[in-house]
C-alpha cells in the first residue's frame, strides 16, 4: 500500500473528503470460518435510529433515501469481502453517524480470520488504493457482532473512526441497542425477508439470514390454529324436549282453525 493509505489504530480517525465512500469488510475463509455479513445503521446524535428503515442489512439492502446500500459478497482466492457504500451528499441531515457493522450468525468472531475494514473513495476509478484500513480484533473473542468503524459528521464535513466494538448477543443485540424493533420469532429461526408489522402496527426488522445459496428466504407467516366447529347439540331422548313457543291467540278467533282428527286416545270407551 502507498503512503496515501492510513493504517488506523482503534479509536483513531481521519477526515473524509470523498463525496462517496465504500466500506469493505474482508476476511479469510476456511472450513470452520463463519459467514460474515456487512450492514449499516444510520443513527442520530442520540445514537439511535429514527425507524427500522435506518437499518441497512441483508433483508433491507438499500436505505429509502438512496444514500446507503449493500454491495454484496465477493470471493478472491481465500479472501471474502462484503461491502456497503454511502453517498455522503445524500445522507439526510438528521443522520449524525453511519455505523459499519460485521455480524456472524451465532458463531464467535474468534473464528473469523484476518478481519479488516477498508475505506475507499467510491468515485475513484481503476485499482485505487484504499483511503484507510483497520484490522478489527475482537476484545474477548466471544463477540458475534462488531461495529468495525463509523462515518460521522464534523462541521460541514465527514470523518471516519476505527472502532471494533463488540456484542456477544449478535446483530439482534446490536440493533436493539440502537433502537431497532427486532422480530424475535424470526431472529430465533435464523433471519430474513421484508420487514413485518409488529404487535402495535410498527415495522419490525426480521433478521433471517440468506439461505445457503445466497438467496434470501421469505419468512413463513404464522398460521392460525386449525379448529373444528363443535357438532350441533342434539336434544336428549325423552324429557325435557325443546318447548315450542305457545301460539298467540288471534282476537275474535281464527276462522280457519280446525280441531285435529281425534285419534283412538280421545274416544270414549
Amino acid at each position: 500500500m502507498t503512503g496515501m493509505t492510513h493504517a488506523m489504530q482503534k479509536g483513531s480517525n481521519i477526515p473524509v473528503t470523498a463525496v462517496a465512500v465504500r466500506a469493505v469488510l474482508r476476511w479469510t475463509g476456511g472450513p470452520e470460518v463463519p459467514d460474515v455479513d456487512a450492514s449499516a445503521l444510520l443513527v442520530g446524535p442520540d445514537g439511535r435510529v429514527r425507524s427500522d428503515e435506518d437499518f441497512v442489512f441483508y433483508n433491507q439492502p438499500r436505505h429509502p433515501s438512496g444514500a446507503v446500500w449493500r454491495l454484496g459478497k465477493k470471493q478472491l482466492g481465500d479472501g471474502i469481502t462484503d461491502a456497503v457504500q454511502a453517498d455522503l451528499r445524500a445522507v439526510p441531515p438528521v443522520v449524525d453517524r453511519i455505523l459499519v457493522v460485521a455480524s456472524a450468525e451465532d458463531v464467535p468472531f474468534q473464528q473469523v480470520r484476518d478481519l479488516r475494514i477498508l475505506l475507499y473513495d467510491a468515485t475513484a476509478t481503476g485499482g485505487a488504493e484504499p483511503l484507510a484500513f483497520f484490522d478489527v480484533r475482537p476484545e474477548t473473542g466471544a463477540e458475534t457482532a462488531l461495529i468495525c468503524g463509523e462515518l460521522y459528521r464534523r462541521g460541514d464535513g465527514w470523518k471516519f473512526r476505527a472502532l471494533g466494538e463488540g456484542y456477544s448477543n449478535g446483530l439482534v443485540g446490536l440493533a436493539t441497542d440502537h433502537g431497532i424493533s427486532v422480530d424475535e420469532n424470526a431472529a430465533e429461526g435464523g433471519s430474513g425477508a421484508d420487514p413485518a408489522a409488529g404487535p402495535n402496527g410498527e415495522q419490525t426488522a426480521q433478521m433471517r439470514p440468506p439461505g445457503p445459496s445466497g438467496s434470501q428466504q421469505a419468512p413463513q407467516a404464522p398460521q392460525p390454529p386449525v379448529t373444528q366447529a363443535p357438532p350441533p347439540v342434539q336434544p336428549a331422548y325423552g324429557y325435557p324436549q325443546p318447548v315450542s313457543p305457545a301460539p298467540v291467540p288471534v282476537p275474535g278467533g281464527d276462522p280457519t282453525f280446525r280441531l285435529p282428527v281425534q285419534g283412538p286416545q280421545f274416544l270414549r270407551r
Side-chain angles (χ1 to χ4, degrees), residues 6-45:
H6 295 269
M8 303 185 67
Q9 301 298 317
K10 185 171 182 175
S12 63
N13 64 79
I14 62 168
V16 176
T17 58
V19 296
V21 293
R22 182 170 63 256
V24 178
L25 299 179
R26 189 178 72 192
W27 66 98
T28 301
E32 298 182 359
V33 178
D35 192 24
V36 176
D37 289 296
S39 55
L41 284 87
L42 288 72
V43 300

Side-chain angles (χ1 to χ4, degrees), residues 47-96:
R48 297 174 68 82
V49 300
R50 297 167 299 162
S51 73
D52 293 348
E53 291 182 336
D54 286 341
F55 184 24
V56 177
F57 69 122
Y58 38 74
N59 288 328
Q60 189 168 259
R62 192 175 187 91
H63 191 262
S65 67
V68 181
W69 63 97
R70 294 184 75 243
L71 295 176
K73 290 185 172 67
K74 293 182 180 179
Q75 183 157 2
L76 300 172
D78 292 336
I80 307 172
T81 66
D82 197 4
V84 295
Q85 187 159 314
D87 182 348
L88 301 178
R89 299 164 297 183
V91 177
V94 292
V95 173
D96 186 64

Side-chain angles (χ1 to χ4, degrees), residues 108-260:
F109 266 91
Q110 64 184 0
Q111 295 181 223
V112 179
R113 298 155 45 194
D114 310 320
L115 180 63
R116 171 178 286 187
I117 182 171
L118 304 101
L119 190 70
Y120 290 86
D121 180 349
T123 65
T125 58
E129 295 290 330
L131 303 174
F133 72 91
F134 168 52
D135 291 323
V136 186
R137 297 182 177 90
E139 294 184 351
T140 68
E143 297 92 338
T144 51
L146 290 164
I147 303 177
C148 298
E150 65 176 2
L151 291 156
Y152 64 99
R153 294 184 188 272
R154 183 60 74 229
D156 294 332
W158 288 85
K159 286 190 171 184
F160 175 76
R161 179 183 288 122
L163 288 179
E165 297 177 358
Y167 286 75
S168 60
N169 51 353
L171 194 57
V172 171
L174 186 152
T176 303
D177 197 41
H178 290 85
I180 300 292
S181 302
V182 176
D183 185 337
E184 293 289 352
N185 293 329
E188 289 173 1
S191 112
D194 294 332
N200 298 320
E202 75 277 7
Q203 292 297 309
T204 58
Q206 295 189 357
M207 295 165 51
R208 188 183 310 279
S213 63
S215 59
Q216 295 178 6
Q217 300 173 348
Q220 296 296 322
Q223 298 295 324
V226 178
T227 58
Q228 294 182 348
V233 178
Q234 300 294 333
Y237 180 76
Y239 294 94
Q241 294 293 333
V243 179
S244 300
V248 179
V250 178
D254 184 357
T256 63
F257 177 77
R258 296 290 186 271
L259 287 172

